[in-house]
Amino acid sequence: VLLSIFGDAAEEFSSDDGPDTVEAWDSVTHLMLILAIEAEFGMQFETAEIPNLLSVGDIRARLGS
Amino acid sequence: VDDDSVSIQERIRNAGPGTLSAAQYMSIARELSAKSHGLRPIRIVLLASFTTSLFDAFLKVEAARFGFGLSIHHGGFGQFEQALLQNDWVPADDMPVALVIAMRLEDIDPDLAFRFYQPGRLSFEALAADGLQRIETTVRLFREKAQGPALVANFSPPEFRPLSVFEANSPDSLTSKILELNRGLLERLRELGDAFIWDYAGLVASCGARSWTDPRLWSLAKTAVAPANQPEFAAHLMRTLQGVIFPAAKCLVLDLDNTLWGGVVGDDGPGGIVIGDDYPGSAYKQFQRAVLGLKDRGILLALCSKNDPDVVEEVFKQHPDILLRSDDIAAQRINWQSKSDNLKELAAELNIGLDSLVFFDDNPVERAEVRSKLPEVTVVEVPTDPVFYVEALYAVADFDVPALTQEDRGRAASYQAERQRRVSAEQAGSLEDFLASLDMRLEFGTLDDTSSQRIAQLVAKTNQFNLTTRRRSQDEIEQIAARDDAGVYWLRLADRYADMGLIAMAIVIGEGRDLVIDSLVISCRAANRGVEQAMLAFLADEARQRGFSRLLGEYIPTARNHVVSDLYSRMQFALDTESDGARVYSLDLASQEIRFPDGVSILGCE
């Protein structure tokens, strides 16, 4: 999902990467990413947590929980 | 799997709508952004009362399905007029551009649905009038800087309705007022010209109003369309855009066995085929109804089947449950030739291009044969279960037309008359005798409210009998018609067999002492009837009366208009200049005259 939105650069992402370190990760691509993940994993995030999943690690941890 | 040998457009088409995941949309959109892929560039200026930036990938991929290389200019949340005051949306290098407006009343007035009955609130009518005025102003601002169609979303009743389950019991409910407003919108757009309703309300209804909006997405991003509906949103908008821009297909070519009925008539006999009011025959009967519905609105029907023609004729004549009759069929090829050869013959017989054909055949082998030999033909991916045939037929975007004209509705009858004419022609002998026997009546006129739409349709759709193929919009044509030094003329044709309606048009523009024929277009149904000669005779008379000394004609070659390459020389025009195949001819009005064809009665405008 990361690759589909950020392209090949996403291969190099580490858990700490997020809007602060990836220029293309802005508020629009953040939502695109969250929605694409929901579709891919067949789940829904709660409204309040969506703006706070601000790194690859956060998202991974949330999906693992 | 990335396969370079298959075009990106084909990959999208093979996937079919509703089968791509969000991540796949994003990936394909990235690929589309990387290069042009031979797609036809177009820009949309997308102005909405909600945010639209999340839709990009869906819009670009769905645009590519129809061959568009889409670029999108977002007006920004809630911006309409303001977004057009800058120039950043105007495309460079003549890239075509279309305006899309999506205004939701509940975004303009958040109290609308919730406090509809609040005492003393601004009336719905006042809010609606303001909305329509803003839409009109926005379209006018767009037209000041660009030429192109406008698509305007109609108004959808809000998800939460003031009267809940009893909304429909009140004659002046919000819902009924919105329906009325949509009629007002249509009128306003007709007046503007080259402006069309994008049926957003229909889209919301068919996807389901209850889940149309995701409240999470609305709260976080002011996006009105739930994630699951965003592909549908994009597909619907792009299908609307292609219908406004591309000429519609003209003919549906149908297979017989297991397409129009179940079973194989050659094996099972005329009595053994499956069709009727109970399943499974009912699926085929329902499909025939849908097919006839297309005929009613001007699509020609043709048959193409590997079968014994006598057996097929017996079915069409005698089977009580077959709804299609011989009269409904414009042309047919019932033989053992390849389907691709038959399709070529059908196109030639009907005088239409291969790209005007849509092929519907249950047999995947036949579909593959046609796809590989005739890529211009639209081949429907027919589902294996016949109960889904109707759905597959309605999914064909090629038949979409923004507005039906009288000519569309009468077309099937007109082709039937053409078959009778052909019989007369065979009996008559010479072409002159035949034309004289038709009792043709021609009527000329200048562009007016009733003819404007049909004239624009002729200009948009005609490929063969089109001398310059300048695709001017309805708006542009109306502007030319209003000029003192120019004119837009039409010609209607009727004969013993049928009123064929408005079948030819010409745009002329004065240049000094010359009157230049900018566009000359004749519907192929009216070709070889002396219509071209009559039109030029009429234009020469007009030019003479308006004091011009020469009438100039241009021929600009395209892949499709070879048939008129020698029209001006046949009509005794002199060749003046030629470059890259484009030729300019002139007729000296003082010394030369073009006669109206013999045996034709002429009704002129003064």
Side-chain angles (χ1 to χ4, degrees):
Chain A
V1 176
L2 282 166
L3 282 169
S4 76
I5 291 169
F6 297 106
D8 293 340
E11 301 271 18
E12 313 286 319
F13 284 2
S14 73
S15 326
D16 293 337
D17 277 320
D20 292 337
T21 58
V22 179
E23 200 185 334
W25 194 327
D26 58 16
S27 58
V28 174
T29 44
H30 179 68
L31 272 176
M32 286 172 19
L33 174 64
I34 294 293
L35 298 174
I37 289 170
E38 286 187 346
E40 208 66 26
F41 291 84
M43 46 84 73
Q44 277 203 349
F45 296 106
E46 294 205 5
T47 316
E49 63 182 336
I50 292 174
N52 297 317
L53 293 165
L54 287 176
S55 71
V56 175
D58 285 355
I59 295 170
R60 200 173 275 147
R62 171 64 178 80
L63 288 174
S65 66
Chain B
V1 181
D2 200 312
D3 181 357
D4 274 348
S5 65
V6 182
S7 79
I8 196 160
Q9 189 179 356
E10 239 170 292
R11 271 193 287 141
I12 297 166
R13 284 190 174 170
N14 292 344
T19 61
L20 294 169
S21 72
Q24 284 171 318
Y25 270 104
M26 308 287 167
S27 295
I28 301 173
R30 292 184 64 82
E31 251 183 276
L32 284 167
S33 305
K35 56 182 180 134
S36 72
H37 296 278
L39 297 168
R40 171 181 165 140
I42 188 167
R43 169 169 299 177
I44 58 169
V45 178
L46 181 52
L47 309 180
S49 59
F50 45 89
T51 61
T52 51
S53 44
L54 286 175
F55 307 150
D56 274 25
F58 304 106
L59 287 168
K60 284 182 176 165
V61 173
E62 290 301 329
R65 187 187 296 283
F66 298 110
F68 292 127
L70 188 71
S71 78
I72 307 163
H73 179 91
H74 298 278
F77 173 57
Q79 287 200 34
F80 296 96
E81 307 89 332
Q82 313 92 295
L84 296 181
L85 292 175
Q86 293 129 26
N87 287 329
D88 52 352
W89 58 272
V90 182
D93 334 321
D94 291 337
M95 185 198 280
V97 58
L99 174 67
V100 180
I101 299 177
M103 180 187 282
R104 302 196 319 160
L105 291 174
E106 58 269 47
D107 300 338
I108 305 289
D109 177 2
D111 284 337
L112 177 70
F114 298 109
R115 307 208 56 192
F116 186 62
Y117 296 103
Q118 179 191 15
R121 65 168 273 122
L122 183 73
S123 74
F124 177 88
E125 285 71 19
L127 178 73
D130 185 53
L132 288 188
Q133 189 53 50
R134 288 191 68 186
I135 287 169
E136 180 174 337
T137 306
T138 307
V139 174
R140 288 193 189 284
L141 285 168
F142 173 76
R143 294 273 156 82
E144 278 176 19
K145 291 172 190 165
Q147 290 276 358
L151 306 184
V152 181
N154 54 5
F155 299 97
S156 174
E159 181 187 351
F160 300 106
R161 303 179 180 190
L163 297 178
S164 179
V165 291
F166 287 108
E167 184 80 355
N169 278 269
S170 165
D172 52 4
S173 68
L174 174 58
T175 302
S176 77
K177 286 186 184 222
I178 284 177
L179 293 178
E180 207 172 304
L181 171 59
N182 282 336
R183 280 191 290 274
L185 175 65
L186 177 61
E187 267 169 48
R188 196 70 78 94
L189 297 185
R190 288 229 167 116
E191 283 162 22
L192 283 167
D194 206 14
F196 306 90
I197 288 203
W198 165 33
D199 189 11
Y200 181 83
L203 169 66
V204 173
S206 78
C207 290
R210 180 186 285 174
S211 56
W212 178 253
T213 300
D214 178 345
R216 300 175 310 149
L217 209 48
W218 176 254
S219 304
L220 289 174
K222 294 278 185 281
T223 294
V225 185
N229 294 321
Q230 289 174 6
E232 290 283 353
F233 173 96
H236 195 273
L237 177 56
M238 287 304 124
R239 180 167 169 174
T240 307
L241 183 66
Q242 71 78 33
V244 164
I245 288 181
F246 292 138
K250 293 171 180 158
C251 178
L252 173 64
V253 185
L254 295 152
D255 172 51
L256 297 175
D257 292 330
N258 290 317
T259 298
L260 278 187
W261 55 69
V264 177
V265 68
D267 296 342
D268 307 332
I273 58 173
V274 179
I275 182 151
D277 295 315
D278 299 306
Y279 179 81
S282 54
Y284 296 99
K285 201 163 179 178
Q286 190 79 334
F287 178 60
Q288 292 202 9
R289 286 192 183 93
V291 164
L292 283 167
L294 284 180
K295 190 210 80 165
D296 298 338
R297 65 176 189 72
I299 307 299
L300 302 174
L301 304 181
L303 303 178
C304 179
S305 168
K306 289 179 175 164
N307 248 315
D308 176 346
D310 294 336
V311 178
V312 169
E313 198 185 329
E314 195 184 330
V315 173
F316 276 94
K317 271 205 180 121
Q318 301 191 348
H319 200 294
D321 284 309
I322 299 283
L323 300 177
L324 266 86
R325 292 292 161 205
S326 308
D327 280 356
D328 300 315
I329 309 299
Q332 61 180 48
R333 288 292 180 279
I334 313 291
N335 56 38
W336 302 93
Q337 283 195 123
S338 74
K339 298 263 173 166
S340 60
D341 284 338
N342 277 333
L343 289 175
K344 276 191 263 181
E345 287 185 24
L346 286 168
E349 176 178 337
L350 295 169
N351 218 350
I352 57 182
L354 282 166
D355 54 2
S356 293
L357 300 183
V358 174
F359 180 57
F360 198 108
D361 191 320
D362 69 294
N363 186 336
V365 178
E366 303 290 12
R367 296 199 298 265
E369 194 260 340
V370 171
R371 273 204 192 98
S372 72
K373 298 249 180 67
L374 305 174
E376 309 94 315
V377 174
T378 298
V379 179
V380 181
E381 201 44 47
V382 177
T384 47
D385 185 342
V387 300
F388 293 112
Y389 281 4
V390 170
E391 193 180 311
L393 189 64
Y394 274 79
V396 177
D398 302 58
F399 294 127
D400 296 343
V401 281
L404 282 190
T405 60
Q406 281 303 323
E407 280 76 9
D408 288 328
R409 293 192 197 184
R411 183 165 300 122
S414 175
Y415 270 86
Q416 215 175 307
E418 181 62 29
R419 279 210 308 252
Q420 291 166 1
R421 277 184 211 110
R422 238 178 268 145
V423 173
S424 310
E426 282 158 18
Q427 291 159 356
S430 79
L431 181 66
E432 284 75 16
D433 291 349
F434 164 60
L435 289 179
S437 76
L438 288 179
D439 188 18
M440 294 197 337
R441 298 178 299 283
L442 296 177
E443 184 187 353
F444 291 92
T446 52
L447 181 132
D448 52 19
D449 286 350
T450 53
S451 58
S452 179
Q453 197 169 55
R454 168 63 180 161
I455 285 174
Q457 187 194 45
L458 265 183
V459 168
K461 285 176 68 170
T462 311
N463 295 314
Q464 297 182 83
F465 290 82
N466 194 335
L467 272 300
T468 56
T469 321
R470 293 192 173 107
R471 305 283 192 206
R472 299 195 186 281
S473 69
Q474 185 172 348
D475 208 36
E476 253 180 291
I477 295 168
E478 285 172 3
Q479 282 170 21
I480 294 174
R483 281 164 54 176
D484 285 340
D485 63 340
V488 179
Y489 298 101
W490 52 254
L491 172 51
R492 298 179 62 94
L493 170 64
D495 68 16
R496 203 141 64 87
Y497 299 102
D499 182 349
M500 303 179 77
L502 197 160
I503 43 76
M505 63 77 62
I507 297 176
V508 292
I509 296 173
E511 280 179 16
R513 308 275 296 141
D514 297 330
L515 189 65
V516 181
I517 305 172
D518 169 89
S519 300
L520 175 56
V521 176
I522 300 164
S523 161
C524 58
R525 288 180 298 136
N528 304 320
R529 303 273 304 267
V531 166
E532 49 275 48
Q533 184 181 339
M535 184 55 121
L536 288 172
F538 173 80
L539 292 178
D541 279 356
E542 277 287 307
R544 211 174 277 118
Q545 278 168 30
R546 289 168 68 168
F548 291 99
S549 50
R550 295 196 305 168
L551 181 63
L552 299 194
E554 283 173 272
Y555 168 70
I556 302 174
T558 68
R560 305 280 299 278
N561 72 350
H562 182 74
V563 64
V564 289
S565 61
D566 64 343
L567 174 66
Y568 286 118
S569 54
R570 273 193 284 131
M571 295 294 149
Q572 312 305 321
F573 280 61
L575 179 62
D576 277 4
T577 58
E578 174 161 12
S579 69
D580 292 338
R583 300 197 284 265
V584 178
Y585 294 87
S586 68
L587 183 80
D588 180 45
L589 294 166
S591 65
Q592 284 177 287
E593 193 180 1
I594 301 177
R595 284 185 312 113
F596 280 94
D598 290 332
V600 171
S601 48
I602 310 285
L603 296 160
C605 63
E606 59 294 334

